[in-house]
Amino acid sequence: DAGVTQSPTHLIKTRGQQVTLRCSPKSGHDTVSWYQQALGQGPQFIFQYYEEEERQRGNFPDRFSGHQFPNYSSELNVNALLLGDSALYLCASSLAGVLTDTQYFGPGTRLTVL
Amino acid sequence: DAKTTQPTSMDCAEGRAANLPCNHSTISGNEYVYWYRQIHSQGPQYIIHGLKNNETNEMASLIITEDRKSSTLILPHATLRDTAVYYCIVRVAYGNKLVFGAGTILRVKS
């Protein structure tokens, strides 16, 4: 158990809708990264939040946005959902400023877009 | 793109050592080698990481060649619960993202 929690576990939405996914990092961690994993593929980096700001971003459109709260928890928002957004969304937490800042993953949120 | 090359799949007998190879011939001096595994539909699980020395923890051993162009993850006594996709990743420290490839599907058979 990595100590990272995500909610909800599963979610079903229709095209055009908006969705918010939530992540609580492992105790003591201050950095949250989000990944998208399509079926049969490895996870793809979406973005990373530290000190309530987006620090890095992968190759994802602006429909994907995020937020980090003062307690280090984070949200991932996706607007105007497309069928291709169906995936497992993973959150990983780590501690900034440490040379080997290992990322620990949560169980993921399975999003299905119909 | 991932900077590592791994076999698509491997089989291992239960109780035997599982040796998973990874090629990272373009690794830079400040990049670490990380290993994660993912059991079906769960989040990736951190296994081990190293820079240039061999590393061992309660889960596995990591052997990195002297030129750092390849490494091997060793699960000393594989069990059925070790059946998973294993990802080898090279990564610069200090906050950088993980870039996943396709990984190796390890099937442990009784």
Side-chain angles (χ1 to χ4, degrees):
Chain A
D1 181 7
V4 180
T5 61
Q6 293 186 242
S7 63
T9 306
H10 295 87
L11 202 53
I12 299 175
K13 292 285 188 178
T14 57
R15 282 177 296 173
Q17 285 189 311
Q18 178 264 343
V19 68
T20 297
L21 310 181
R22 295 175 177 82
C23 172
S24 291
K26 182 175 178 173
S27 178
H29 284 184
D30 57 8
T31 302
V32 173
S33 303
W34 286 92
Y35 294 80
Q36 180 197 66
Q37 186 173 24
L39 201 60
Q41 299 182 20
Q44 300 294 309
F45 175 74
I46 302 175
F47 43 54
Q48 182 182 86
Y49 275 84
Y50 171 65
E51 292 189 332
E52 301 181 48
E53 293 193 358
E54 185 181 291
R55 187 161 73 167
Q56 292 182 67
R57 189 179 181 91
N59 188 26
F60 279 80
D62 292 344
R63 298 187 297 109
F64 289 78
S65 63
H67 188 78
Q68 185 179 35
F69 300 93
N71 67 353
Y72 308 120
S73 67
S74 177
E75 288 182 348
L76 164 66
N77 301 293
V78 186
N79 295 322
L81 284 168
L82 304 174
L83 295 179
D85 295 331
S86 294
L88 180 67
Y89 287 85
L90 297 159
C91 160
S93 76
S94 55
L95 178 62
V98 178
L99 181 60
T100 55
D101 50 341
T102 299
Q103 295 186 15
Y104 294 89
F105 285 82
T109 294
R110 172 72 62 185
L111 173 65
T112 301
V113 182
L114 302 177
Chain B
D1 290 342
K3 297 179 64 176
T4 62
T5 304
Q6 299 179 252
T8 302
S9 65
M10 296 181 64
D11 290 338
C12 178
E14 189 176 23
R16 302 298 294 269
N19 296 280
L20 291 91
C22 179
N23 181 287
H24 31 79
S25 57
T26 61
I27 192 170
S28 301
N30 61 347
E31 287 182 314
Y32 288 75
V33 179
Y34 279 79
W35 284 83
Y36 285 80
R37 72 181 183 184
Q38 188 172 27
I39 297 169
H40 183 64
S41 293
Q42 298 181 22
Q45 178 188 23
Y46 165 75
I47 301 173
I48 199 168
H49 74 276
L51 183 62
K52 49 187 171 182
N53 297 321
N54 297 339
E55 303 287 345
T56 296
N57 63 19
E58 65 279 4
M59 287 184 67
S61 295
L62 173 60
I63 308 297
I64 303 174
T65 58
E66 193 168 343
D67 63 7
R68 303 211 321 125
K69 293 185 176 182
S70 65
S71 62
T72 301
L73 178 73
I74 301 173
L75 307 178
H77 305 286
T79 71
L80 297 179
R81 289 180 296 178
D82 292 322
T83 292
V85 179
Y86 286 76
Y87 296 100
C88 170
I89 300 167
V90 295
R91 172 179 178 255
V92 177
Y94 291 124
N96 268 282
K97 63 187 179 185
L98 295 167
V99 180
F100 288 81
T104 295
I105 300 170
L106 175 68
R107 287 181 282 257
V108 181
K109 300 183 176 181
S110 58

